[in-house]
Amino acid sequence: MSQARERGIPEATVARLPLYLRALNGLSERGTATVSSEDLALAAGVNSAKLRKDLSHLGSYGTRGVGYDVQYLIYQISRELGLTQDWAVAIVGLGNLGRALANYGGFVSRGFRVAALFDADPAVVGERLVGMAVDPVDRLEEVLGRRGVSIVVIATPASAAQEVADRVIAAGITSILNFAPVVLTVPDGVDVRKVDLSTELQILAFHEQRKADREAGSPIMTEDWAEAMDA
């Protein structure tokens, strides 16, 4: 999907490129022509040294005393992420989450086009969303091929996710965004990005509890204490 892997750009850098792109688009909307590494790093939530190293992988070093050209850097990052072309996306599973994703207006502006929608519920099949009819999941392989889909979003219940993944992979799909609360087993060469909302909420709950413990003066277990207790 992108040139980054072929160019040997580290995965950690690739993961930060969308952050830089979002910050740059915000600067562009405000009419900013150039930006320093310090200001861009602040907007993206990283440190400036890491940002400069990341951008050096793209061959972009900025200009001393001037900074980075915002529009050119947007182009460079978009090109590396493969966003200078149109990517057809299919969404499988049209419960509340799947519908929200289908109606998300930010796909088109970022180089993605929802090209197919699937569901197993006969009551949902045939319904029109975002200008297209929902196809039955039984026609998954046929529709994916006919509409040139490159990326599949799985928003099914956990019990159905692996079967859907197996079918789309057999149909030639090698990029999957998984919202189902399950770890998918896929062969080498297939890229899966997992979005687990419950896990993220649990992590936030952990930090909230730590803050509450500090405010209450409760002891917080450190790694040293844990090792001592295990000894």
Side-chain angles (χ1 to χ4, degrees), residues 82-203:
L83 303 182
T84 53
Q85 66 186 82
D86 181 53
W87 296 99
V89 177
I91 300 173
V92 184
L94 292 168
N96 291 334
L97 177 57
R99 288 171 184 269
L101 293 170
N103 284 292
Y104 174 55
F107 282 133
V108 174
S109 63
R110 289 166 173 80
F112 302 96
R113 171 176 51 87
V114 177
L117 302 170
F118 299 94
D119 202 273
D121 186 348
V124 176
V125 171
E127 184 179 340
R128 295 193 68 83
L129 289 172
V130 292
M132 71 184 72
V134 177
D135 284 300
V137 75
D138 292 344
R139 297 180 56 204
L140 187 66
E141 293 84 353
E142 170 204 342
V143 175
L144 290 177
R146 179 158 47 85
R147 299 190 187 170
V149 170
S150 300
I151 301 169
V152 168
V153 178
I154 296 179
T156 66
S159 58
Q162 185 64 57
E163 180 185 351
V164 169
D166 292 341
R167 290 179 61 188
V168 302
I169 291 168
I173 300 297
T174 58
S175 294
I176 297 172
L177 180 60
N178 179 32
F179 281 89
V182 63
V183 176
L184 299 177
T185 301
V186 301
D188 290 342
V190 175
D191 293 310
V192 176
R193 299 291 297 180
K194 179 173 173 54
V195 181
D196 192 329
L197 301 179
S198 62
T199 296
E200 297 303 322
L201 286 171
Q202 289 166 9
I203 292 170

Side-chain angles (χ1 to χ4, degrees), residues 24-100:
L24 287 162
N25 282 326
L27 291 167
S28 176
E29 290 169 3
R30 294 193 292 273
T32 303
T34 58
V35 61
S36 68
S37 59
E38 289 77 12
D39 287 344
L40 180 54
L42 182 63
V46 302
N47 68 65
S48 58
K50 183 175 293 183
L51 178 139
R52 286 191 293 270
K53 184 175 181 180
D54 286 343
L55 296 184
S56 71
H57 289 294
L58 279 61
S60 186
Y61 298 93
T63 303
R64 185 178 295 277
V66 177
Y68 296 91
D69 182 289
V70 170
Q71 291 302 323
Y72 183 63
L73 197 49
I74 287 174
Y75 165 75
Q76 279 189 302
I77 295 176
S78 297
R79 181 189 61 193
E80 290 296 341
L81 291 174
L83 303 182
T84 53
Q85 66 186 82
D86 181 53
W87 296 99
V89 177
I91 300 173
V92 184
L94 292 168
N96 291 334
L97 177 57
R99 288 171 184 269

